[in-house]
Amino acid sequence: GQQLNQSPQSMFIQEGEDVSMNCTSSSIFNTWLWYKQDPGEGPVLLIALYKAGELTSNGRLTAQFGITRKDSFLNISASIPSDVGIYFCAVTGAGSYQLTFGKGTKLSVIP
Amino acid sequence: NAGVTQTPKFRVLKTGQSMTLLCAQDMNHEYMYWYRQDPGMGLRLIHYSVGEGTTAKGEVPDGYNVSRLKKQNFLLGLESAAPSQTSVYFCASSQSGATQYFGPGTRLTVT
């Protein structure tokens, strides 16, 4: 099946630092999404990207849909303790009802 | 709105036992999905439904069956549980297919 490569797998950062993570694929996709999963909870949608080159912000979060449609990044500015969790990228193709998820980036924030 | 709810939250089964996981959504969404999440594997699609009375296989359907008799409910069945089915199961719903809303999960252990 389709494979998404998320990096890094995990990261430890100091509170207040900025964070960057990315997701790449060997295939082209029409929609890229970023989800966050808190411990013991289901994933929650953070940002959805529908157009190549699109840059979208949601509070301290910024995500971009790569021009080649094969990658996306997520930035978090001025991290706080509640940013802790696992961040997943997900993609879908034209006319598809299914999402393919990356394996996640586990973020730990040191106060 | 409760969103997406799942019952039960936790369950322990012996090998060979059967059980049904229930997912309910109150957003009038057309599409519903069942995923499993294993450590280091991200979320993998088991089965999905694009409308009442329809179901389709996802990436890892073996050992599971599903039914969508009512639009708001999506049931996942395990006829003869195996230890390899120990996992956290998430249900999701969507109106468009891309933006999916997840339930809180069911943690299943098969001994």
Side-chain angles (χ1 to χ4, degrees), chain B residues 30 39 62 67 74:
Chain B
E30 290 295 331
D62 294 342
S67 65
F74 196 28

Side-chain angles (χ1 to χ4, degrees), chain A residues 35 37 42 45 50 97-98, chain B residues 31 33 37 48 90 99-100:
Chain A
Y35 283 83
Q37 185 177 28
L45 181 66
Y50 301 103
Y97 311 113
Q98 302 180 44
Chain B
Y31 310 135
Y33 308 82
Q37 185 177 32
Y48 65 100
F90 288 100
T99 308
Q100 296 183 15

Side-chain angles (χ1 to χ4, degrees), chain A residues 33-97:
Chain A
L33 306 108
W34 286 93
Y35 283 83
K36 183 194 176 199
Q37 185 177 28
D38 289 328
E41 303 286 331
V44 173
L45 181 66
L46 297 174
I47 293 179
L49 303 157
Y50 301 103
K51 190 176 171 185
E54 180 181 356
L55 184 73
T56 297
S57 293
N58 178 6
R60 293 179 296 107
L61 278 60
T62 302
Q64 184 157 31
F65 185 162
I67 286 288
T68 63
R69 291 194 282 157
K70 293 183 178 182
D71 63 333
S72 176
F73 71 75
L74 175 71
N75 288 343
I76 306 173
S77 62
S79 59
I80 58 178
S82 61
D83 290 334
V84 164
I86 304 177
Y87 292 79
F88 291 100
C89 62
V91 294
T92 188
S96 174
Y97 311 113

